[in-house]
Amino acid sequence: MADPHGFLRVHREQPSERSIDTRLGDYHEFVEEPSDESVRKQASRCMDCGIPFCHQGCPLGNLIPEWNDLVYRGRLDEAVERLHTTNNFPEVTGRICPAPCEASCVLNIDNAPVSIKTVERHLASYAMEQGLRPVIATQQRGQRVAIVGSGPAGLAAAQQLCRQGYQVTVFEKDDRVGGLLRYGIPDFKLEKHIVDARIEQMRTEGVVFNTGVLIGRDISIEDFRHNFDAVILCGGARKPRELDIPGRQSSGIYPAMLYLEQQNRFNAGDRIDADQRIDAHGKNVIVIGGGDTGSDCVGTANRQGAKHVLQLEIMPRPPDHRSDQNPWPEWPMILRTSSSHREGCERQWSLMSKRFEHIDGQLTGLSVVDVAFANGVLIEREESTRILPADLVFLAMGFVGPDADDLLGQWGVSCAPNGNIITTREGSTNVSGVFAAGDMSRGQSLVVWAIADGRRVAAGVDVFLQKTSLAECSV
Ligand SMILES: Cc1cc2nc3c(=O)[nH]c(=O)nc-3n(C[C@H](O)[C@H](O)[C@H](O)COP(=O)(O)OP(=O)(O)OC[C@H]3O[C@@H](n4cnc5c(N)ncnc54)[C@H](O)[C@@H]3O)c2cc1C
Ligand code: SF4
């Protein structure tokens, strides 16, 4: 146990952040690295509960009380080793995980959980400072695994299988590796050199990355059958939910992902033609959709110097506190205010978008109406219809499944009515030798779940390959 009296003596603290004025001037991360001593103090608050509920909260089953104890005792190398036992990319989760572990920490019963994510991030930073040492497989198995998609699910599966001695090739349709870590999540939440360092470690371990290859178009199923013993589909769930209302064709309306990807590319030094550039500078911006993707658009628009940013949500405003129906250790269904919201954003709830207003095809506003739910039925309050000024609108209403109809059709992989690939717990699809993991089978979720799925599917592939291989199956 870290310190039997730690939670009585030490208050929960979060790392400091760069001032809003400063951080809006660039795209660098805004969370500052805490000192070793302050993290040691935070770790001392862990009570090493007999039943660690944080394990239930963390999809990876991270050994949280163990590394808290080691951090408290200053044994950082051992703590890092424990952390990597269950988590391939703690430098990512330590930055952008919403930390369900903290929601289920016993200390969260009175709302001051152990700063688990801060400890995780600090350990991950320490590991990166020391240099991520490659873990080379002690034996080679000779069987080949193809992974489609290089997001966190594909990367976790690749690293696990490579370390077990399989020959792993990751195919990625984009020009760079990383999936949404690279082209979705903004740099101010996750700088890309963090992703690059891990990719470099994986290359050294033996993973082969093949970018700019769209599976379903560039490589035939026959090629896969001849060249690989198993395939894991980790293509994500990027099909955006559309908003098919009058005026949708006006210029100035963009899917959120187009905007976020472009800014990430711009930050990476890619050339964006001036007429293609989406720039919120000096504009009235409306983000439709109250979730995390919308919040990332808010943060990006503020960094570009938007005049005003408004985020709209059709659902009612969530409560400030847990309801009796949502007790600890469940994930609290409460109002969340992100760092991007704190940087400057008006938020409105219970609003439905009715029409994009425009002059000669150029967006000028958004017509909205107040809505309420009565017995599960959405009721519009017509008298409340009004027009909100808008020069730019970002559509961030979520995703409706994998954007891979061709691929899935060709491979004959069964999908659920919501479009997600149906798998067993081990990640196996209806096609023998073909597995799936991450958002492609789970639906748009979290990085921590993608890593957990990637690890689970790797274990499933390992079991499968010890018995058979794709070449022997009909794909
Ligand atoms: C804007 C945004 C912000 C987010 N922020 C957070 C956050 O802060 N914290 C958090 O925990 N989660 C966040 N998420 C969710 C998280 O990013 C995803 O749950 C996670 O990335 C899913 O990982 P994945 O590997 O399943 O898929 P992805 O990361 O989507 O990767 C799939 C990869 O497959 C490639 N691909 C697809 N089809 C093919 C094909 N046919 N051939 C070759 N390659 C293909 C794609 O190009 C992509 O690189 C966010 C999501 C979005 C959209
Ligand atoms: S990965 Fe997320 S849930 Fe798990 S310990 Fe880290 S912050 Fe908590």
Side-chain angles (χ1 to χ4, degrees), residues 184-200:
I185 296 168
D187 291 15
F188 54 81
K189 281 166 61 180
L190 176 69
E191 288 183 11
K192 303 314 171 214
H193 65 87
I194 302 285
V195 181
D196 293 337
R198 186 60 78 171
I199 302 298
E200 201 42 49

PDB file of all heavy atoms in Angstrom, residues 184-200:
ATOM      1  N   GLY A 184      -7.228  12.622 -36.310  1.00  0.00           N
ATOM      2  CA  GLY A 184      -8.493  13.020 -35.691  1.00  0.00           C
ATOM      3  C   GLY A 184      -8.238  13.868 -34.459  1.00  0.00           C
ATOM      4  O   GLY A 184      -8.649  15.030 -34.388  1.00  0.00           O
ATOM      5  N   ILE A 185      -7.515  13.304 -33.526  1.00  0.00           N
ATOM      6  CA  ILE A 185      -7.294  13.974 -32.244  1.00  0.00           C
ATOM      7  C   ILE A 185      -6.328  15.149 -32.438  1.00  0.00           C
ATOM      8  O   ILE A 185      -5.235  14.979 -32.984  1.00  0.00           O
ATOM      9  CB  ILE A 185      -6.758  12.947 -31.215  1.00  0.00           C
ATOM     10  CG1 ILE A 185      -7.847  11.888 -30.990  1.00  0.00           C
ATOM     11  CG2 ILE A 185      -6.353  13.618 -29.917  1.00  0.00           C
ATOM     12  CD1 ILE A 185      -7.421  10.670 -30.248  1.00  0.00           C
ATOM     13  N   PRO A 186      -6.741  16.343 -32.033  1.00  0.00           N
ATOM     14  CA  PRO A 186      -5.887  17.516 -32.291  1.00  0.00           C
ATOM     15  C   PRO A 186      -4.549  17.457 -31.550  1.00  0.00           C
ATOM     16  O   PRO A 186      -4.438  16.821 -30.494  1.00  0.00           O
ATOM     17  CB  PRO A 186      -6.737  18.690 -31.770  1.00  0.00           C
ATOM     18  CG  PRO A 186      -8.128  18.184 -31.688  1.00  0.00           C
ATOM     19  CD  PRO A 186      -8.016  16.714 -31.403  1.00  0.00           C
ATOM     20  N   ASP A 187      -3.589  18.153 -32.098  1.00  0.00           N
ATOM     21  CA  ASP A 187      -2.236  18.181 -31.508  1.00  0.00           C
ATOM     22  C   ASP A 187      -2.240  18.743 -30.088  1.00  0.00           C
ATOM     23  O   ASP A 187      -1.405  18.364 -29.270  1.00  0.00           O
ATOM     24  CB  ASP A 187      -1.293  19.034 -32.366  1.00  0.00           C
ATOM     25  CG  ASP A 187      -0.991  18.371 -33.698  1.00  0.00           C
ATOM     26  OD1 ASP A 187      -1.720  17.430 -34.064  1.00  0.00           O
ATOM     27  OD2 ASP A 187      -0.041  18.785 -34.371  1.00  0.00           O
ATOM     28  N   PHE A 188      -3.181  19.671 -29.804  1.00  0.00           N
ATOM     29  CA  PHE A 188      -3.140  20.254 -28.457  1.00  0.00           C
ATOM     30  C   PHE A 188      -3.544  19.239 -27.385  1.00  0.00           C
ATOM     31  O   PHE A 188      -3.311  19.457 -26.211  1.00  0.00           O
ATOM     32  CB  PHE A 188      -3.981  21.551 -28.370  1.00  0.00           C
ATOM     33  CG  PHE A 188      -5.421  21.442 -28.829  1.00  0.00           C
ATOM     34  CD1 PHE A 188      -6.405  20.931 -28.013  1.00  0.00           C
ATOM     35  CD2 PHE A 188      -5.777  21.884 -30.093  1.00  0.00           C
ATOM     36  CE1 PHE A 188      -7.726  20.856 -28.437  1.00  0.00           C
ATOM     37  CE2 PHE A 188      -7.097  21.813 -30.539  1.00  0.00           C
ATOM     38  CZ  PHE A 188      -8.078  21.289 -29.708  1.00  0.00           C
ATOM     39  N   LYS A 189      -4.133  18.099 -27.828  1.00  0.00           N
ATOM     40  CA  LYS A 189      -4.397  17.013 -26.871  1.00  0.00           C
ATOM     41  C   LYS A 189      -3.312  15.940 -26.949  1.00  0.00           C
ATOM     42  O   LYS A 189      -3.022  15.265 -25.968  1.00  0.00           O
ATOM     43  CB  LYS A 189      -5.756  16.377 -27.172  1.00  0.00           C
ATOM     44  CG  LYS A 189      -6.943  17.186 -26.659  1.00  0.00           C
ATOM     45  CD  LYS A 189      -8.280  16.742 -27.245  1.00  0.00           C
ATOM     46  CE  LYS A 189      -8.684  15.340 -26.972  1.00  0.00           C
ATOM     47  NZ  LYS A 189      -9.998  14.990 -27.585  1.00  0.00           N
ATOM     48  N   LEU A 190      -2.750  15.766 -28.138  1.00  0.00           N
ATOM     49  CA  LEU A 190      -1.751  14.698 -28.340  1.00  0.00           C
ATOM     50  C   LEU A 190      -0.797  15.125 -29.445  1.00  0.00           C
ATOM     51  O   LEU A 190      -1.152  15.068 -30.637  1.00  0.00           O
ATOM     52  CB  LEU A 190      -2.473  13.388 -28.737  1.00  0.00           C
ATOM     53  CG  LEU A 190      -1.589  12.200 -29.088  1.00  0.00           C
ATOM     54  CD1 LEU A 190      -0.854  11.672 -27.850  1.00  0.00           C
ATOM     55  CD2 LEU A 190      -2.432  11.073 -29.693  1.00  0.00           C
ATOM     56  N   GLU A 191       0.391  15.552 -29.060  1.00  0.00           N
ATOM     57  CA  GLU A 191       1.373  15.936 -30.077  1.00  0.00           C
ATOM     58  C   GLU A 191       1.858  14.687 -30.812  1.00  0.00           C
ATOM     59  O   GLU A 191       2.012  13.615 -30.201  1.00  0.00           O
ATOM     60  CB  GLU A 191       2.546  16.686 -29.425  1.00  0.00           C
ATOM     61  CG  GLU A 191       2.145  18.080 -28.965  1.00  0.00           C
ATOM     62  CD  GLU A 191       3.295  18.873 -28.379  1.00  0.00           C
ATOM     63  OE1 GLU A 191       4.461  18.447 -28.504  1.00  0.00           O
ATOM     64  OE2 GLU A 191       3.025  19.935 -27.789  1.00  0.00           O
ATOM     65  N   LYS A 192       2.100  14.820 -32.093  1.00  0.00           N
ATOM     66  CA  LYS A 192       2.327  13.629 -32.921  1.00  0.00           C
ATOM     67  C   LYS A 192       3.710  12.993 -32.761  1.00  0.00           C
ATOM     68  O   LYS A 192       3.904  11.837 -33.144  1.00  0.00           O
ATOM     69  CB  LYS A 192       2.042  13.942 -34.394  1.00  0.00           C
ATOM     70  CG  LYS A 192       0.630  14.477 -34.642  1.00  0.00           C
ATOM     71  CD  LYS A 192      -0.478  13.693 -33.946  1.00  0.00           C
ATOM     72  CE  LYS A 192      -1.823  14.391 -34.052  1.00  0.00           C
ATOM     73  NZ  LYS A 192      -2.680  14.215 -32.877  1.00  0.00           N
ATOM     74  N   HIS A 193       4.652  13.737 -32.178  1.00  0.00           N
ATOM     75  CA  HIS A 193       5.958  13.089 -31.949  1.00  0.00           C
ATOM     76  C   HIS A 193       5.819  11.955 -30.929  1.00  0.00           C
ATOM     77  O   HIS A 193       6.622  11.025 -30.907  1.00  0.00           O
ATOM     78  CB  HIS A 193       7.006  14.119 -31.510  1.00  0.00           C
ATOM     79  CG  HIS A 193       6.705  14.757 -30.180  1.00  0.00           C
ATOM     80  ND1 HIS A 193       7.104  14.214 -28.987  1.00  0.00           N
ATOM     81  CD2 HIS A 193       6.021  15.887 -29.875  1.00  0.00           C
ATOM     82  CE1 HIS A 193       6.694  14.992 -27.997  1.00  0.00           C
ATOM     83  NE2 HIS A 193       6.030  16.003 -28.510  1.00  0.00           N
ATOM     84  N   ILE A 194       4.758  12.022 -30.124  1.00  0.00           N
ATOM     85  CA  ILE A 194       4.497  10.947 -29.153  1.00  0.00           C
ATOM     86  C   ILE A 194       4.147   9.666 -29.924  1.00  0.00           C
ATOM     87  O   ILE A 194       4.633   8.574 -29.612  1.00  0.00           O
ATOM     88  CB  ILE A 194       3.305  11.340 -28.244  1.00  0.00           C
ATOM     89  CG1 ILE A 194       3.589  12.657 -27.517  1.00  0.00           C
ATOM     90  CG2 ILE A 194       2.904  10.230 -27.295  1.00  0.00           C
ATOM     91  CD1 ILE A 194       4.554  12.548 -26.395  1.00  0.00           C
ATOM     92  N   VAL A 195       3.290   9.816 -30.926  1.00  0.00           N
ATOM     93  CA  VAL A 195       2.892   8.657 -31.743  1.00  0.00           C
ATOM     94  C   VAL A 195       4.111   8.155 -32.523  1.00  0.00           C
ATOM     95  O   VAL A 195       4.372   6.944 -32.593  1.00  0.00           O
ATOM     96  CB  VAL A 195       1.742   9.046 -32.714  1.00  0.00           C
ATOM     97  CG1 VAL A 195       1.298   7.857 -33.547  1.00  0.00           C
ATOM     98  CG2 VAL A 195       0.560   9.637 -31.941  1.00  0.00           C
ATOM     99  N   ASP A 196       4.885   9.094 -33.080  1.00  0.00           N
ATOM    100  CA  ASP A 196       6.050   8.706 -33.886  1.00  0.00           C
ATOM    101  C   ASP A 196       7.048   7.864 -33.090  1.00  0.00           C
ATOM    102  O   ASP A 196       7.604   6.893 -33.605  1.00  0.00           O
ATOM    103  CB  ASP A 196       6.772   9.959 -34.414  1.00  0.00           C
ATOM    104  CG  ASP A 196       5.934  10.711 -35.424  1.00  0.00           C
ATOM    105  OD1 ASP A 196       5.050  10.092 -36.034  1.00  0.00           O
ATOM    106  OD2 ASP A 196       6.151  11.931 -35.595  1.00  0.00           O
ATOM    107  N   ALA A 197       7.253   8.247 -31.832  1.00  0.00           N
ATOM    108  CA  ALA A 197       8.237   7.513 -31.016  1.00  0.00           C
ATOM    109  C   ALA A 197       7.806   6.052 -30.840  1.00  0.00           C
ATOM    110  O   ALA A 197       8.622   5.124 -30.905  1.00  0.00           O
ATOM    111  CB  ALA A 197       8.395   8.183 -29.657  1.00  0.00           C
ATOM    112  N   ARG A 198       6.519   5.854 -30.647  1.00  0.00           N
ATOM    113  CA  ARG A 198       6.035   4.470 -30.459  1.00  0.00           C
ATOM    114  C   ARG A 198       6.119   3.689 -31.769  1.00  0.00           C
ATOM    115  O   ARG A 198       6.495   2.514 -31.791  1.00  0.00           O
ATOM    116  CB  ARG A 198       4.605   4.521 -29.913  1.00  0.00           C
ATOM    117  CG  ARG A 198       4.027   3.205 -29.534  1.00  0.00           C
ATOM    118  CD  ARG A 198       4.811   2.481 -28.459  1.00  0.00           C
ATOM    119  NE  ARG A 198       4.587   2.971 -27.113  1.00  0.00           N
ATOM    120  CZ  ARG A 198       5.050   2.363 -26.020  1.00  0.00           C
ATOM    121  NH1 ARG A 198       5.798   1.265 -26.118  1.00  0.00           N
ATOM    122  NH2 ARG A 198       4.835   2.868 -24.816  1.00  0.00           N
ATOM    123  N   ILE A 199       5.780   4.356 -32.874  1.00  0.00           N
ATOM    124  CA  ILE A 199       5.851   3.674 -34.179  1.00  0.00           C
ATOM    125  C   ILE A 199       7.294   3.238 -34.451  1.00  0.00           C
ATOM    126  O   ILE A 199       7.558   2.134 -34.944  1.00  0.00           O
ATOM    127  CB  ILE A 199       5.374   4.611 -35.324  1.00  0.00           C
ATOM    128  CG1 ILE A 199       3.947   5.097 -35.097  1.00  0.00           C
ATOM    129  CG2 ILE A 199       5.504   3.929 -36.688  1.00  0.00           C
ATOM    130  CD1 ILE A 199       2.899   4.055 -35.069  1.00  0.00           C
ATOM    131  N   GLU A 200       8.229   4.118 -34.101  1.00  0.00           N
ATOM    132  CA  GLU A 200       9.644   3.803 -34.321  1.00  0.00           C
ATOM    133  C   GLU A 200      10.037   2.559 -33.522  1.00  0.00           C
ATOM    134  O   GLU A 200      10.744   1.670 -34.018  1.00  0.00           O
ATOM    135  CB  GLU A 200      10.490   5.017 -33.906  1.00  0.00           C
ATOM    136  CG  GLU A 200      11.868   5.048 -34.514  1.00  0.00           C
ATOM    137  CD  GLU A 200      11.894   4.660 -35.978  1.00  0.00           C
ATOM    138  OE1 GLU A 200      11.091   5.180 -36.772  1.00  0.00           O
ATOM    139  OE2 GLU A 200      12.738   3.785 -36.339  1.00  0.00           O
TER     140      GLU A 200
END
